[in-house]
Amino acid sequence: MILVYTGDGKGKTSACVGQTVRALGQNMTVAFGQFMKRDGQAGEQAMLARLLGDRFLAGGLGFLRNDADRPSHRQAALRVLEWAQAQLEQVDMLVLDESLYALGSGIVERQELEQLMAAARSRRRHLVLSGRNAPDWLVEAADLVTSMTEIKHPWRTGVKAAPGIEF
């Protein structure tokens, strides 16, 4: 299956981590890659690294905020894509967190994501994609799409990001 977690609310990465834990509990092999997040940025990274070893990759450079940084972000995304292709050969489930952010910012191309989807389907692997703004073509192609909707978030009242909650 192709699973997509999208929307403007909190919980997309948490859903990916939960999907990973559920699959591991069924004795499935899982690889988990992050496109935008640098290693050591978030609590889930420490746990995923312990659980998955070299099947975990935080390969990003952070979120793209300056167009001058686009070439280095593109190179980082290409490394994650290459790693992801290799993982599809040996796992039951591949999770690609923030893949839709990478797509929307233009550092991953539609064709590259479609190739991963086709490879996952042909190998009968589950592929989990996350990020804001899932494009219509992806929503149509996916088997499951869940949209997280923000109703209330403490940062809107000036509360800073909290360890264990946002990262």
Side-chain angles (χ1 to χ4, degrees):
M1 281 197 211
I2 307 293
L3 297 85
V4 174
Y5 296 112
T6 191
D8 64 355
K10 181 180 162 12
K12 296 174 289 293
T13 298
S14 297
C16 289
V17 172
Q19 196 71 64
T20 298
V21 170
R22 178 170 284 162
L24 290 171
Q26 293 294 333
N27 295 314
M28 296 171 74
T29 55
V30 182
F32 193 114
Q34 293 182 308
F35 272 95
M36 307 310 295
K37 295 173 184 168
R38 292 183 309 274
D39 196 25
Q41 273 189 302
E44 77 269 5
Q45 294 171 328
M47 290 307 301
L48 288 168
R50 279 187 227 156
L51 285 170
L52 302 176
D54 62 0
R55 288 195 181 115
F56 172 70
L57 174 66
L61 301 178
F63 289 92
L64 180 61
R65 302 194 194 287
N66 182 342
D67 207 50
D69 296 332
R70 185 171 298 283
S72 58
H73 280 264
R74 173 69 176 152
Q75 288 306 307
L78 288 172
R79 285 190 295 275
V80 174
L81 284 168
E82 181 179 333
W83 173 87
Q85 284 285 1
Q87 294 302 312
L88 278 175
E89 298 296 324
Q90 55 193 352
V91 299
D92 301 306
M93 177 181 287
L94 173 62
V95 180
L96 295 175
D97 188 34
E98 295 296 355
S99 51
L100 303 186
Y101 182 95
L103 177 69
S105 65
I107 62 170
V108 167
E109 297 173 4
R110 174 180 174 169
Q111 160 201 0
E112 292 164 332
L113 208 50
E114 287 176 326
Q115 286 173 347
L116 274 177
M117 292 166 62
R121 286 202 193 279
S122 72
R123 291 173 178 82
R124 301 185 53 77
R125 309 292 199 242
H126 299 296
L127 177 63
V128 182
L129 307 172
S130 75
R132 293 176 182 240
N133 305 313
D136 291 341
W137 65 265
L138 178 57
V139 170
E140 181 64 30
D143 299 293
L144 178 147
V145 180
T146 298
S147 180
M148 279 49 164
T149 303
E150 181 184 311
I151 295 171
K152 183 178 183 181
H153 198 296
W155 73 267
R156 293 200 182 274
T157 61
V159 176
K160 295 198 184 300
I165 303 297
E166 278 85 27
F167 61 94

Tab-separated table of all heavy atoms in Angstrom, residues 18 29-30 43 57 61 70 85 87 90 95 104-105 107-108 114 122 143 154:
chain	number	residue	atom	x	y	z
A	18	GLY	N	4.418	5.815	14.519
A	18	GLY	CA	3.446	4.817	14.967
A	18	GLY	C	3.269	3.701	13.964
A	18	GLY	O	3.177	2.520	14.339
A	29	THR	N	10.137	-5.850	8.448
A	29	THR	CA	11.337	-5.019	8.400
A	29	THR	C	10.930	-3.652	7.875
A	29	THR	O	10.151	-3.541	6.926
A	29	THR	CB	12.423	-5.628	7.502
A	29	THR	OG1	11.868	-5.872	6.210
A	29	THR	CG2	12.960	-6.916	8.083
A	30	VAL	N	11.471	-2.617	8.512
A	30	VAL	CA	11.087	-1.243	8.199
A	30	VAL	C	12.337	-0.394	8.045
A	30	VAL	O	13.283	-0.514	8.830
A	30	VAL	CB	10.195	-0.636	9.311
A	30	VAL	CG1	9.771	0.784	8.954
A	30	VAL	CG2	8.973	-1.516	9.584
A	43	GLY	N	13.454	13.894	19.080
A	43	GLY	CA	13.465	12.727	19.952
A	43	GLY	C	13.238	11.420	19.226
A	43	GLY	O	13.826	10.394	19.581
A	57	LEU	N	17.626	6.876	8.513
A	57	LEU	CA	18.464	7.930	7.947
A	57	LEU	C	17.768	9.272	8.096
A	57	LEU	O	16.671	9.474	7.562
A	57	LEU	CB	18.735	7.665	6.457
A	57	LEU	CG	19.480	8.766	5.708
A	57	LEU	CD1	20.905	8.906	6.235
A	57	LEU	CD2	19.479	8.493	4.214
A	61	LEU	N	18.935	18.656	5.560
A	61	LEU	CA	19.765	19.785	5.997
A	61	LEU	C	18.936	20.806	6.752
A	61	LEU	O	19.355	21.940	6.926
A	61	LEU	CB	20.413	20.457	4.781
A	61	LEU	CG	21.305	19.584	3.906
A	61	LEU	CD1	21.837	20.381	2.727
A	61	LEU	CD2	22.447	18.984	4.718
A	70	ARG	N	19.340	25.893	-2.151
A	70	ARG	CA	18.649	24.847	-2.905
A	70	ARG	C	19.589	23.757	-3.443
A	70	ARG	O	19.289	22.572	-3.317
A	70	ARG	CB	17.841	25.471	-4.043
A	70	ARG	CG	16.988	24.469	-4.803
A	70	ARG	CD	16.056	25.171	-5.775
A	70	ARG	NE	15.125	26.054	-5.103
A	70	ARG	CZ	14.034	25.665	-4.443
A	70	ARG	NH1	13.741	24.383	-4.379
A	70	ARG	NH2	13.248	26.532	-3.856
A	85	GLN	N	15.784	3.848	-2.446
A	85	GLN	CA	15.717	2.830	-3.506
A	85	GLN	C	16.389	1.540	-3.038
A	85	GLN	O	15.872	0.443	-3.269
A	85	GLN	CB	16.389	3.328	-4.784
A	85	GLN	CG	15.574	4.313	-5.566
A	85	GLN	CD	14.416	3.663	-6.322
A	85	GLN	OE1	14.187	2.471	-6.265
A	85	GLN	NE2	13.672	4.483	-7.038
A	87	GLN	N	16.782	0.536	0.039
A	87	GLN	CA	16.001	-0.063	1.126
A	87	GLN	C	14.816	-0.862	0.596
A	87	GLN	O	14.443	-1.885	1.181
A	87	GLN	CB	15.498	1.021	2.093
A	87	GLN	CG	16.593	1.731	2.856
A	87	GLN	CD	17.457	0.797	3.667
A	87	GLN	OE1	16.968	-0.061	4.400
A	87	GLN	NE2	18.771	0.937	3.529
A	90	GLN	N	15.007	-4.611	0.411
A	90	GLN	CA	15.188	-5.485	1.564
A	90	GLN	C	14.200	-5.295	2.701
A	90	GLN	O	14.311	-5.992	3.712
A	90	GLN	CB	16.612	-5.315	2.100
A	90	GLN	CG	16.969	-3.892	2.434
A	90	GLN	CD	18.462	-3.717	2.661
A	90	GLN	OE1	19.206	-4.688	2.716
A	90	GLN	NE2	18.901	-2.492	2.801
A	95	VAL	N	9.342	4.138	5.073
A	95	VAL	CA	8.710	5.372	5.521
A	95	VAL	C	9.604	6.532	5.108
A	95	VAL	O	10.807	6.527	5.411
A	95	VAL	CB	8.517	5.373	7.053
A	95	VAL	CG1	7.860	6.671	7.513
A	95	VAL	CG2	7.719	4.157	7.501
A	104	GLY	N	7.198	19.560	-2.524
A	104	GLY	CA	6.615	20.891	-2.670
A	104	GLY	C	7.637	21.997	-2.810
A	104	GLY	O	7.385	23.016	-3.459
A	105	SER	N	8.810	21.801	-2.225
A	105	SER	CA	9.853	22.823	-2.326
A	105	SER	C	10.725	22.632	-3.562
A	105	SER	O	11.627	23.422	-3.811
A	105	SER	CB	10.717	22.823	-1.067
A	105	SER	OG	11.428	21.620	-0.952
A	107	ILE	N	12.856	20.149	-4.264
A	107	ILE	CA	14.144	19.454	-4.163
A	107	ILE	C	14.003	17.961	-4.438
A	107	ILE	O	14.994	17.265	-4.586
A	107	ILE	CB	14.861	19.719	-2.816
A	107	ILE	CG1	14.054	19.210	-1.642
A	107	ILE	CG2	15.191	21.196	-2.661
A	107	ILE	CD1	14.814	19.238	-0.338
A	108	VAL	N	12.759	17.497	-4.510
A	108	VAL	CA	12.438	16.169	-5.026
A	108	VAL	C	11.430	16.381	-6.141
A	108	VAL	O	10.507	17.190	-6.007
A	108	VAL	CB	11.850	15.250	-3.925
A	108	VAL	CG1	11.230	14.005	-4.514
A	108	VAL	CG2	12.912	14.887	-2.910
A	114	GLU	N	7.222	9.232	-8.022
A	114	GLU	CA	6.446	8.228	-8.763
A	114	GLU	C	7.271	6.968	-9.013
A	114	GLU	O	6.732	5.856	-8.956
A	114	GLU	CB	5.942	8.819	-10.086
A	114	GLU	CG	4.808	9.802	-9.895
A	114	GLU	CD	4.357	10.458	-11.188
A	114	GLU	OE1	5.208	10.703	-12.082
A	114	GLU	OE2	3.153	10.728	-11.311
A	122	SER	N	5.711	-2.695	-7.281
A	122	SER	CA	6.193	-3.871	-8.014
A	122	SER	C	6.867	-4.879	-7.075
A	122	SER	O	6.833	-6.080	-7.337
A	122	SER	CB	7.138	-3.461	-9.143
A	122	SER	OG	8.373	-3.023	-8.627
A	143	ASP	N	-3.283	4.612	-1.541
A	143	ASP	CA	-4.321	3.722	-1.030
A	143	ASP	C	-4.979	4.287	0.213
A	143	ASP	O	-6.151	4.054	0.465
A	143	ASP	CB	-3.700	2.357	-0.703
A	143	ASP	CG	-3.105	1.713	-1.930
A	143	ASP	OD1	-3.873	1.358	-2.845
A	143	ASP	OD2	-1.864	1.592	-1.994
A	154	PRO	N	-0.429	25.362	20.856
A	154	PRO	CA	0.072	26.338	21.831
A	154	PRO	C	1.024	27.381	21.261
A	154	PRO	O	1.136	28.476	21.812
A	154	PRO	CB	0.759	25.472	22.890
A	154	PRO	CG	0.928	24.131	22.299
A	154	PRO	CD	-0.077	23.996	21.204
